[in-house]
Every structure is written in C-alpha cells, then in structure tokens.
Amino acid sequence: QQQQQQQQQQQLQALSPEQTFVESVFNVSIFGDERDTVLAKWNYLQAMLGTGKSFYSQQAAPVEITPSNFLCRFKTMGYSKLPGKENKAGLVGLTINKTEAQIKEQQQQFIVSMNQIFGNKPNITIVVDNVKPISDSKVQVIVYVEEKSTISNETKRVLATEVATYLNQPMTKQQLGTLGIEAIVPLVLPEEDQLKEYLDTPPKGIDPRMWEQAKIDNPDPKRFIPVPMIGFQDLKWRIKCQENETEIHASYLAKVEKEISELKQRHMNTTAKIAEHRRNFTELSHRILRIIVKQESTRKLGLALSPEEEVIRSKLENMHALVSTPTQFRGRLSELLSQMRMQRNQWAHGNFANEYTLDKEATNEMQSFLTMQQKAVAFLIDTINRDMKTLKVITEGMTQLVQS
C-alpha cells in the first residue's frame, strides 16, 4: 500500500498545472467515501467563483484557484485599441512600483536618474510623455529619448526598440530596479505575425469558442483587438481606465471650449474693426466725391453743359423741387429739426451736453437751413401784417358806408 501511495504521488507530481487543477476538481480522493463527492462539489464551486484552495489528495498539496481557470464564470470579452505607435516615435513604457502621485512629485529626480543611466551625455535628453496608472500601486511611465546630432544640430528621437534593448541589458536593468522599474516595453505597433499569433492563441482560461466569437464580433479588426476580462479586478481596472479616458476627453473639450470662446471674442473684435473701416471708407468715398465735383466744376468753368449734364441738371431740379415741397419732405425735415432741438434741450438739462457733438459741415448745413426757415417765417409775418392793415381799411370803409 505504501508503494502504491508513492506511485500515486509520483503520478501527481508529473502532471501539468492544468491537469493538476482538473484532478483537484473532478478526482478528489481523500477520505474514500461520499465525503469526497461533497468536497469535489465544493472545489467545483470554488473554481466557478475563481477563488480559494481545492484539496483533493492526501499526497499532494492543495491547488490555488485563480480567476484564470477555465471553469471560472466571472469572465467576459472586451476590445482595446491596438497598443503602441510607430517605432520612430520612440515611446517606451516603464512599469514602476509607485503611485501616480509619487511619480509626479519625483518626476524631475526620475529624469536625472534616467540621464545617469544613459551616461549623462549632453546630446541625450529624456522626456516623460505620459504617466498612466496600472493599479493602485503601479504606474506606467511613457518616455522617449531625443538625441541631438553633433554635426548638424538636428534633434531626432531614438527608436523605441533601441531604447528598450539598451534598458533591458542585465547591468542597466539592475540599475533600473533600484528605481522601482520592473518592466521595460517598447510601445510599438505589433507586427503582423505577432498579431496573428495573438489572435490564433486563446488566452489562458478562455474558452476557444468564446475567443472565436469575440474575433467575429470585433467592430473594427484593423484598430481593435479582443481582450479578456477575468474576475472583478480586471473589470474594476477597465472601469478605471475608462474614467481616465473620460477625464482626458473632458479636459480636451474644456480646452476646445476655451479656444472657441477666444475665437468668438476675436471675431467680435474683428467685426467691430470691419465696421469701423467701412465707416472710414464711406467717409473717404464722400470726400473723394466732393473733390471730384469741385475738380469737374473748376475744369468746366465757362463751358456749356453737355446733353448728359443737362439731363442730370433737370433731374436734380426736380429732386430739389420735390424736397422743397412744404407738405412732403420739407415738413418732415422741420419736424426732425424740432425734435432734435427738444432733445438737445433735454441733454443740456440732464448734463449730457458734451456727450454728443456735430461735425462742422452738419452744423453749417443746419444753420443755413434754419436761416432759410427764419427768412420764410419773417416773410410770412410781414405778409400777415400787410393783410391785417388791408382788412382794417376795409372794415373801416364798410362801417362808414353803413352809417351813411
């Protein structure tokens, strides 16, 4: 019997981890009675939950159950954008055992340490492109290296694969370990054969049928790849990543909104300037027109009018007669002048006298018009007085005739 137990122990040791897991769930042999069946059901329940330890044999240690086992029910498929950029972008991801706040506080010191690792060369510059949290205690710092040519003074980025190869050397990696860096990955787009290998090999714990269905349901195979989410930790991390992306989008939208408001303000200022230039253009056009009129009047002084000018003169005389008609435009102008006079008096009493002013030309025009009106009123008064005298003579004559 002891020899048989030794053989069983040797057989268990020869099994792979996957086979050991299957044995721990479906082949429990500890008590040799119905209790093994109950324990097998319990192990199966733990496997579905993705946590716990499964005891299955007295000769073997219990198996640690993780969510990555193929019986775990808490798993689903999602999609992520193809990672990385072109190799010439030079982006390298450094996984560091620190929080995001710690990295941001020690960013300058981190850059100094990285420069020391690269030999403190004056033509080498380390730039931190982004800091992304991976978990509560880990972050991925994305950096790139710029190299300045000593001949042409041109600055270019070092290829991501070259930087990653240099940092993954044993001596260099040991120095990076003192900074808390545990992984260095070049962030480049995967090659076609690498992508094909990834898609052809279902991840551990994922049913091949689920993996094939995820590839079929991929909304954009050229941009996205299926990614398994196993357990609540992966789901929590996925939600956190989505929240970070949402914050980035919100900050970008705020930036766009600010730029739009600045553009609106610039548009308003430009519109005001355009209106001012249009007004200046109109004034200059009027001045040029007056100059042209004076020039033409001087040039044709003493000459007879041409037929075209005769036509224009007749039209202008008709327009002047129309404007001078008391019942039409002239009356309206008189009414406007009286309203302006009343408004000017209101401004004078309200201390607004200096707020509005008239230019000299408008003042002269108004003075000439008012002078003409004053003369017309004086002529009307004189006519009324003469008519009154005539009526008085007629009245006296009629009285004398009646008395006689």
Side-chain angles (χ1 to χ4, degrees):
Q1 185 178 2
Q2 186 176 3
Q3 186 177 3
Q4 186 178 2
Q5 290 178 354
Q6 290 178 355
Q7 290 178 355
Q8 289 179 355
Q9 188 174 2
Q10 290 176 357
Q11 290 177 357
L12 292 174
Q13 290 177 354
L15 296 177
S16 64
E18 289 78 9
Q19 292 173 337
T20 304
F21 172 75
V22 173
E23 287 288 327
S24 68
V25 176
F26 298 105
N27 191 15
V28 179
S29 58
I30 296 178
F31 304 103
D33 52 21
E34 65 273 4
R35 289 178 293 180
D36 290 341
T37 304
V38 176
L39 188 57
K41 291 181 179 180
W42 171 245
N43 291 343
Y44 184 75
L45 179 60
Q46 290 186 105
M48 293 179 67
L49 295 175
T51 183
K53 292 183 179 181
S54 61
F55 294 85
Y56 68 101
S57 176
Q58 294 181 354
Q59 286 79 29
V63 177
E64 188 75 26
I65 298 177
T66 62
S68 61
N69 74 83
F70 67 92
L71 293 176
C72 181
R73 307 299 294 176
F74 299 106
K75 62 181 67 173
T76 186
M77 299 299 300
Y79 298 94
S80 295
K81 186 180 177 182
L82 280 172
K85 294 186 178 181
E86 294 183 358
N87 193 13
K88 62 182 180 181
L91 299 180
V92 177
L94 307 177
T95 304
I96 306 178
N97 291 320
K98 292 182 180 180
T99 62
E100 184 179 2
Q102 290 175 337
I103 290 296
K104 289 185 177 180
E105 290 176 0
Q106 305 171 3
Q107 181 170 332
Q108 191 61 37
Q109 183 180 355
F110 173 78
I111 294 175
V112 172
S113 301
M114 291 296 295
N115 278 323
Q116 292 176 355
I117 292 174
F118 279 92
N120 285 327
K121 296 180 180 179
N123 61 329
I124 295 293
T125 305
I126 312 297
V127 181
V128 176
D129 183 73
N130 197 3
V131 178
K132 292 183 178 180
I134 298 177
S135 64
D136 295 336
S137 59
K138 290 184 180 181
V139 295
Q140 184 185 52
V141 180
I142 301 174
V143 300
Y144 60 88
V145 180
E146 290 183 340
E147 183 179 9
K148 187 175 182 180
S149 175
T150 56
I151 301 174
S152 60
N153 287 331
E154 292 183 359
T155 302
K156 67 175 183 178
R157 294 190 184 186
V158 182
L159 297 179
T161 52
E162 294 182 3
V163 176
T165 302
Y166 175 78
L167 295 178
N168 278 312
Q169 293 178 0
M171 292 296 295
T172 308
K173 198 168 185 179
Q174 186 177 0
Q175 294 177 354
L176 293 174
T178 59
L179 300 177
I181 299 174
E182 63 176 20
I184 302 101
V185 180
L187 301 180
V188 296
L189 290 171
E191 301 290 341
E192 291 186 3
D193 54 347
Q194 295 175 337
L195 186 60
K196 185 177 183 302
E197 182 182 358
Y198 173 79
L199 294 175
D200 292 343
T201 307
K204 183 180 179 181
I206 298 297
D207 191 297
R209 293 172 297 177
M210 181 187 293
W211 184 251
E212 290 297 326
Q213 188 62 40
K215 291 193 291 184
I216 295 173
D217 296 338
N218 192 342
D220 191 352
K222 294 182 179 179
R223 296 179 57 196
F224 302 111
I225 56 174
V227 177
M229 288 182 285
I230 302 174
F232 292 102
Q233 289 297 327
D234 284 359
L235 182 60
K236 180 182 177 182
W237 171 243
R238 187 84 174 189
I239 293 173
K240 188 174 182 180
C241 291
Q242 193 65 38
E243 289 176 351
N244 291 336
E245 290 295 325
T246 304
E247 290 178 359
I248 293 173
H249 292 167
S251 62
Y252 182 76
L253 288 175
K255 180 181 177 182
V256 171
E257 185 179 1
K258 182 180 178 181
E259 291 180 354
I260 289 174
S261 61
E262 292 177 355
L263 289 174
K264 285 183 178 179
Q265 185 64 34
R266 289 173 58 187
H267 174 70
M268 292 174 61
N269 296 337
T270 305
T271 304
K273 288 182 180 179
I274 290 174
E276 182 180 358
H277 290 321
R278 283 180 177 173
R279 185 171 61 255
N280 294 336
F281 175 75
T282 304
E283 293 178 358
L284 291 174
S285 299
H286 292 168
R287 290 177 61 184
I288 292 173
L289 183 60
R290 288 196 295 269
I291 292 172
I292 292 174
V293 169
K294 290 181 180 180
Q295 182 184 7
E296 287 295 315
S297 300
T298 305
R299 187 172 65 86
K300 292 192 175 183
L301 185 64
L303 299 177
L305 296 177
S306 63
E308 293 83 2
E309 293 173 341
E310 287 288 348
V311 174
I312 294 173
R313 188 184 68 173
S314 62
K315 289 182 178 180
L316 290 174
E317 288 177 351
N318 293 333
M319 292 172 62
H320 183 266
L322 183 63
V323 171
S324 301
T325 304
T327 57
Q328 293 188 5
F329 298 104
R330 192 167 184 177
R332 295 180 184 178
L333 288 173
S334 300
E335 184 179 356
L336 288 174
L337 286 173
S338 62
Q339 290 180 359
M340 290 176 61
R341 192 179 298 110
M342 291 174 61
Q343 196 169 11
R344 184 179 61 186
N345 293 333
Q346 291 177 359
W347 291 340
H349 292 296
N351 295 326
F352 298 113
N354 296 327
E355 187 173 354
Y356 298 96
T357 57
L358 295 174
D359 56 5
K360 186 176 180 181
E361 185 177 355
T363 304
N364 294 334
E365 186 176 355
M366 289 181 64
Q367 285 179 351
S368 61
F369 182 78
L370 292 174
T371 302
M372 182 179 64
Q373 289 289 326
Q374 189 176 6
K375 290 180 180 179
V377 171
F379 179 76
L380 182 60
I381 293 172
D382 184 57
T383 303
I384 292 173
N385 290 332
R386 284 188 281 108
D387 290 343
M388 290 296 292
K389 290 180 180 179
T390 304
L391 287 173
K392 185 177 180 181
V393 172
I394 294 172
T395 303
E396 291 177 353
M398 289 295 294
T399 304
Q400 291 176 0
L401 288 174
V402 171
Q403 290 177 356
S404 62

